[in-house]
Amino acid sequence: MRHHHREMLDTKQSDAAPQQDEPRGCLFALSQPPLMIFLAVIGCLLLTAALHDLLWL
């Protein structure tokens, strides 16, 4: 049995790789380190303010 290699390797560029214009989701945005650092700082400030209000006022 002979296989036709030309038929097996005949793939189009659009089928092999996803398009670059594809929109990225929220999980991709959250995986960026600068955004995570910013959100962690804001979260710590909110937590500090909440604990201050609850415990010392």
Side-chain angles (χ1 to χ4, degrees):
M1 291 173 40
R2 291 185 67 173
H3 295 288
H4 296 287
H5 293 290
R6 187 171 290 179
E7 290 178 7
M8 292 172 58
L9 297 176
D10 189 18
T11 59
K12 296 179 181 177
Q13 184 68 21
S14 61
D15 294 338
Q19 295 178 353
Q20 295 294 331
D21 295 337
E22 185 175 323
R24 298 180 185 234
C26 182
L27 289 179
F28 174 77
L30 286 177
S31 67
Q32 303 303 310
L35 180 62
M36 289 304 295
I37 292 171
F38 174 74
L39 291 177
V41 168
I42 296 299
C44 287
L45 289 174
L46 288 173
L47 180 64
T48 303
L51 288 175
H52 179 268
D53 287 346
L54 286 174
L55 299 176
W56 286 289
L57 290 180

